[in-house]
Amino acid sequence: MKKNYTASDTILLPQYQQSAAFMERFLIAAHEEGASIVRSPNSTKIKMVDGSELEADVLSYFSDGIDEFRKEFSSELLERISCHELDLFCSVIAEEWFDGKRLRENGNPRRLKRSVYDYLSRVSGITKPAEFIQVRESLSGVEPLISAEAVAAILTVNDQMIYRHVEAWKQQHPNASHLSSNDVFFRRGLALKAPLNTSEPYREWDFINSYSIAFSAPEQFSQMMEGRAPAVVNGDMALFEGRILFFSPFVPGMDIGQLEIGVIPAESPLSVHYQGEHAGIMEYILDPPLFQRD
């Protein structure tokens, strides 16, 4: 595998091929022979999707329709779960999960992880859910935030809404005529102590994991920790079916600046493939077709 990847190499990665925003980056880099793509620099403030990406890839669709999305989300869930469970779920995601690591490891976010654990073990039938994640933490004494059945309902509504609104967004995209669902990727920025072991199936870090439909926010998250190796894990949206616990534009009260997607572990192993280090960030792709593995 090459060591020095130019902008011409990076634009050919499947996760960037249909992005108008990434094409803009490529066109800027192309003026200098052998130049690399410019990445979004880490910010000491709250990580946000770059304005240029919001505009070029029309991701503003998800902020412009936020009021209707949230009404739709609440209305559809209230047909499946109690008002109390809906309010509790939304408040924990919007107020405690979004706060970051300080609150995610304790209190209600931890109780929500227990709810996901119960869903995986009782509804999905996974005998040992803890083997699907990297964190080694017992949730046996933790009271669930909401029922496993409520988690199942939330996953179903998110699946349906993501499908509808990604389809609507695609119609507004500059590449609408040839943008397929296989071209829509979710990404997770990681600061790694060591490269991922691609000889083993990919395991999520925890029972709830942050991804984004944008690429600029994960780039920033990957650079957060000094001395760690920045990496971005990419997967096409089909790999996340039945796994989306929340999408920030849908959750009442939640900040949408990261276009964050909360993902639970996959119910079956996914392979992970290394695509090389591009402009200082290691790129990985989940379970790609054979022709995308080199």
Side-chain angles (χ1 to χ4, degrees):
M1 187 170 281
K2 292 172 62 174
K3 290 186 177 180
N4 299 313
Y5 288 90
T6 67
S8 298
D9 298 310
T10 310
I11 194 65
L12 294 177
L13 295 179
Q15 59 265 32
Y16 300 127
Q17 285 185 14
Q18 297 301 328
S19 167
F22 214 84
M23 176 57 73
E24 289 183 354
R25 290 188 181 186
F26 167 74
L27 293 174
I28 293 171
H31 289 292
E32 182 181 345
E33 185 177 354
S36 298
I37 288 283
V38 174
R39 298 289 195 169
S40 296
N42 181 34
S43 170
T44 56
K45 301 178 181 179
I46 294 176
K47 311 295 185 274
M48 308 283 281
V49 177
D50 289 353
S52 57
E53 186 180 8
L54 286 172
E55 181 178 355
D57 280 327
V58 202
L59 291 172
S60 54
Y61 168 86
F62 295 105
S63 57
D64 293 344
I66 187 172
D67 291 338
E68 290 305 314
F69 298 155
R70 292 178 172 182
K71 289 178 184 176
E72 181 183 352
F73 181 73
S74 297
S75 175
E76 295 204 10
L77 270 178
L78 285 174
E79 295 179 2
R80 296 168 168 84
I81 67 176
S82 70
C83 182
H84 171 71
E85 285 188 304
L86 174 62
D87 290 344
L88 185 57
F89 171 77
C90 291
S91 65
V92 168
I93 293 297
E95 299 168 16
E96 298 182 55
W97 176 266
F98 186 77
D99 184 80
K101 186 177 180 180
R102 182 179 66 87
L103 289 180
R104 290 183 187 184
E105 295 182 349
N106 300 285
N108 286 326
R110 196 159 177 255
R111 292 178 60 201
L112 183 55
K113 292 178 189 179
R114 173 57 196 259
S115 298
V116 172
Y117 175 95
D118 288 349
Y119 164 80
L120 291 171
S121 59
R122 288 166 43 194
V123 179
S124 292
I126 296 175
T127 55
K128 297 181 179 180
E131 294 182 356
F132 284 71
I133 64 171
Q134 297 183 49
V135 170
R136 288 292 170 256
E137 174 192 20
S138 174
L139 295 173
S140 59
V142 177
E143 180 185 359
L145 183 77
I146 56 177
S147 67
E149 292 73 22
V151 171
I154 291 167
L155 295 171
T156 298
V157 168
N158 276 319
D159 267 0
Q160 294 169 349
M161 287 187 61
I162 286 282
Y163 176 79
R164 286 197 298 269
H165 292 295
V166 166
E167 286 299 310
W169 163 70
K170 282 162 53 183
Q171 297 306 309
Q172 299 185 18
H173 195 274
N175 296 332
S177 61
H178 50 273
L179 182 66
S180 73
S181 295
N182 292 336
D183 299 314
V184 180
F185 281 79
F186 300 156
R187 293 98 168 179
R188 175 166 169 78
L190 300 172
L192 300 176
K193 292 181 179 179
L196 296 178
N197 184 352
T198 56
S199 67
E200 298 180 351
Y202 180 72
R203 288 185 299 156
E204 296 290 356
W205 178 253
D206 208 337
F207 287 111
I208 308 173
N209 307 274
S210 294
Y211 282 74
S212 177
I213 195 172
F215 58 77
S216 52
E219 285 179 340
Q220 296 170 48
F221 277 106
S222 75
Q223 303 169 63
M224 281 183 62
M225 301 182 69
E226 188 174 350
R228 299 283 185 91
V232 173
V233 175
N234 307 270
D236 77 65
M237 65 177 287
L239 298 176
F240 299 90
E241 184 176 350
R243 299 175 56 201
I244 298 175
L245 189 65
F246 66 84
F247 181 36
S248 58
F250 297 167
V251 180
M254 188 173 188
D255 190 287
I256 65 166
Q258 300 169 10
L259 292 179
E260 184 179 1
I261 301 167
V263 171
I264 71 172
E267 295 177 19
S268 58
L270 297 175
S271 63
V272 59
H273 295 264
Y274 181 53
Q275 300 169 299
E277 183 177 318
H278 295 254
I281 295 179
M282 294 187 292
E283 294 277 356
Y284 293 91
I285 188 169
L286 295 175
D287 215 28
L290 290 174
F291 69 89
Q292 291 179 354
R293 296 189 180 189
D294 293 324

